[in-house]
Amino acid sequence: MLGDQLHRRIPPLADRRPGEVRVLLVESEAALARRDWHRQRLHVVLASMRRFAAELASEGFAVDLRRAPTLRAGLDAHVAEHRPTRVVAMEASSWDGRRMLDAAGVDVVRSDRFLCPADEFAEWAGGRSGRLTMEDFYRWQRRRLGILMDGDEPAGGRWNFDADNREPPPRDGRAWPAAVTSRLDDLDAEVLAGLPDHAVGADPVGIWPTSRRAALARLRAFVDEALPRFGPHEDAMLAGEWRLAHSLLSSALNIGLLHPAEVVDAVEDAYRSGAVPIASAEGFIRQVIGWREYVWGLYWLWMPEYRDRDELGADRPLPAAWRGGAPTNMACLANVLAKVDEYGWAHHIERLMVLGNLALLAGTRPAEVVDWMTARFVDGAEWVMLPNVVGMALHADGGMMATKPYAAGGAYINRMSDHCRGCRYDPKRRVGDDACPYTTLYWDFLARHRGRFAANHRMARQVAGLDRLGDLDAVRARAAEVRAGLDAGTV
């Protein structure tokens, strides 16, 4: 069982009983050393693996939980010690993991962690003549799975309630649901004491579940307390509120403590009972059976070549503030980076429109952004981050995933957050020392890539706006200063 398959009821363990098999779990020293991981990311994986091993042992299973130089070395050592007649594993969630299992001669069973397995996604994609849009996939999922359907029609009479779920942040000072926490115990202390010295970020305070029982408690709390308020403000950003009404379930889903089917069932049941409005239920279910599974399918459809995509020729390093080498004067960026440091998490709009948007506009190398986000977020995994960063945030795939880049100036952040009120930079200004870096870089980005995007029907109007700027030369000169400032940590 790999470290993101920690569920008793998935293959290959689902139909096994104590005494029939020995379960192997490997903590890889190479994986721990590979990146500057967030401490909470490592804690989630290692503590969850150790609790899972203990739960299996208490059920009567023979369990071999071992630390080894690599996953393959751990497997080889296990085989040498126990001489199994057969080794069986579920498909790994990474390209390299699957290659390792194949090379080791492991019998691999189909993954049961998603509602649309990769081969079924490939079959769906192969039967289409046009673009592989998430909306088409999502509607196909709804129909074939019977989720939020009233007969042949979508519940509520519409497939998509996004228009109801894009409200700016509320200004009424309302209280938001508190995150459920678990008391840290001796196992947690042992994990934290053994983390590598290069791990970054704050220690956990019990927010992220590391057991099946804790994950189910958080699912119940989300559906009861946060989901009714989730929809309208799911794209909003508030400086003083890190969670709003987001689920905080992604880490549990991504390591197997929760299965997407049970999450979706709980949300639909709440809608059917009248406890949750359709806009909130549909908006959240769209994230789980739509976007999450779409990203999973694209990863397997386009790997391994997708790793190296850089169609915009981005060649700059990560901003110094991301690397922890300097503070930043941008209020929105400072706030999001502080959240990432404290929690190992930021919600999807903060990832896309604050972090990803800045990396896109500045021309940051895609591989560095993928690596940073994979390491810094508690729900990070290659299958998650590659499509989301390369395709969605950075448009580095040249439009394979999204028809246009998600590029925006300071006006978007000003509309969807309260960050700009206290910021030294003005989102309305594009030149001068007080000009918002997002606004300056936005126009420079369009100018740098005018030839590519002028013919894009979704970008033509924005590109044409360049011709109405009487100060474009000054904007581009200021953009060069901003990029240098991001490198040096002075912006």
Side-chain angles (χ1 to χ4, degrees):
M1 305 289 285
L2 299 176
D4 58 359
Q5 301 172 354
L6 308 180
H7 199 301
R8 174 69 175 85
R9 301 302 173 191
I10 61 174
L13 195 58
D15 58 351
R16 300 295 183 175
R17 296 178 180 178
E20 295 179 345
V21 295
R22 177 177 285 107
V23 180
L24 170 64
L25 293 145
V26 178
E27 297 177 1
S28 166
E29 293 172 349
L32 294 175
R34 186 176 301 137
R35 296 183 171 95
D36 291 338
W37 298 100
H38 198 292
R39 292 177 65 81
Q40 293 181 45
R41 169 62 176 162
L42 293 181
H43 170 259
V44 162
V45 175
L46 294 175
S48 297
M49 289 178 68
R50 294 181 192 183
R51 290 192 204 285
F52 185 60
E55 290 165 5
L56 292 179
S58 67
E59 191 179 338
F61 281 97
V63 180
D64 180 7
L65 172 64
R66 64 172 66 214
R67 179 70 65 94
T70 64
L71 286 174
R72 177 63 188 269
L75 172 59
D76 290 345
H78 173 90
V79 170
E81 179 178 347
H82 296 287
R83 301 291 182 182
T85 57
R86 182 178 178 220
V87 178
V88 185
M90 189 167 71
E91 293 172 320
S93 63
S94 70
W95 182 267
D96 292 338
R98 292 198 183 179
R99 288 197 305 174
M100 184 276 288
L101 293 177
D102 289 343
V106 174
D107 291 342
V108 175
V109 299
R110 191 188 202 198
S111 175
D112 186 37
R113 295 182 55 231
F114 291 81
L115 298 175
C116 182
D119 57 345
E120 293 186 23
F121 182 91
E123 184 177 346
W124 170 82
R128 306 190 64 78
S129 57
R131 295 184 59 84
L132 305 178
T133 66
M134 198 285 288
E135 183 66 26
D136 288 344
F137 171 72
Y138 170 64
R139 295 186 185 190
W140 177 74
Q141 284 270 80
R142 290 266 298 272
R143 287 190 180 100
R144 77 185 192 90
L145 298 172
I147 294 172
L148 277 186
M149 298 295 295
D150 292 334
D152 294 331
E153 299 299 319
R158 288 156 51 191
W159 290 104
N160 187 322
F161 287 82
D162 271 0
D164 301 335
N165 291 347
R166 291 174 176 160
E167 294 185 20
R171 312 286 184 177
D172 55 10
R174 71 183 65 180
W176 296 91
V180 176
T181 59
S182 302
R183 183 182 61 84
L184 301 184
D185 60 14
D186 291 344
L187 185 151
D188 298 299
E190 180 182 57
V191 169
L192 293 172
L195 294 184
D197 292 339
H198 63 267
V200 301
D203 277 339
V205 294
I207 291 171
W208 309 111
T210 58
S211 71
R212 170 83 173 143
R213 181 177 179 180
L216 289 171
R218 282 153 178 79
L219 172 58
R220 289 191 297 269
F222 167 63
V223 172
D224 293 343
E225 300 169 15
L227 181 59
R229 291 184 268 178
F230 168 74
H233 301 293
E234 66 177 275
D235 287 359
M237 297 176 281
L238 284 170
E241 176 55 47
W242 74 281
R243 185 255 176 107
L244 289 97
H246 291 275
S247 75
L248 308 184
L249 298 177
S250 55
S251 68
L253 277 165
N254 288 359
I255 63 172
L257 296 178
L258 292 174
H259 193 279
E262 65 188 338
V263 173
V264 169
D265 286 347
V267 171
E268 180 163 11
D269 288 348
Y271 161 68
R272 297 293 183 186
S273 72
V276 173
I278 183 63
S280 288
E282 188 277 323
F284 183 75
I285 285 175
R286 169 184 297 269
Q287 290 186 352
V288 178
I289 72 165
W291 192 257
R292 183 174 185 269
E293 304 235 341
Y294 176 69
V295 163
W296 168 256
L298 292 181
Y299 173 84
W300 289 108
L301 192 66
W302 292 338
M303 280 291 283
E305 295 81 6
Y306 202 71
R307 277 179 178 159
D308 300 322
R309 292 284 181 180
D310 184 14
E311 297 300 311
L312 299 184
D315 59 0
R316 301 194 71 86
L318 288 172
W322 291 33
R323 303 191 302 269
T328 176
N329 294 311
M330 288 183 279
C332 59
L333 180 62
N335 185 268
V336 173
L337 290 176
K339 292 174 182 175
V340 173
D341 183 76
E342 185 172 359
Y343 303 108
W345 187 87
H347 73 68
H348 66 284
I349 291 299
E350 292 170 331
R351 300 187 196 198
L352 178 64
M353 300 309 299
V354 176
L355 298 174
N357 185 30
L358 181 64
L360 168 69
L361 299 178
T364 310
R365 287 187 282 267
E368 292 193 25
V369 182
V370 170
D371 187 74
W372 187 89
M373 289 195 171
T374 301
R376 291 304 198 274
F377 289 117
V378 293
D379 52 10
E382 186 180 68
W383 70 264
V384 175
M385 292 305 173
L386 263 178
N388 273 305
V389 172
V390 172
M392 184 74 166
L394 302 187
H395 205 72
D397 63 2
M400 294 170 64
M401 185 174 180
T403 56
K404 66 179 285 294
Y406 278 81
Y412 176 88
I413 295 173
N414 190 31
R415 182 170 67 254
M416 296 304 297
S417 81
D418 61 356
H419 294 304
C420 298
R421 281 184 278 173
C423 186
R424 64 154 288 184
Y425 297 115
D426 185 344
K428 297 179 182 179
R429 295 182 62 84
R430 55 183 176 262
V431 295
D433 290 343
D434 62 345
C436 174
Y438 286 90
T439 303
T440 302
L441 292 174
Y442 171 75
W443 290 108
D444 179 72
F445 172 80
L446 292 180
R448 293 201 318 270
H449 299 291
R450 182 196 288 256
R452 175 181 292 271
F453 294 125
N456 184 318
H457 72 282
R458 296 189 66 194
M459 292 290 291
R461 182 177 177 183
Q462 292 94 313
V463 172
L466 289 167
D467 297 327
R468 297 191 292 272
L469 298 187
D471 58 355
L472 183 57
D473 288 343
V475 169
R476 302 209 64 187
R478 174 59 182 164
E481 296 174 356
V482 170
R483 287 195 295 272
L486 289 173
D487 293 348
T490 58
V491 173

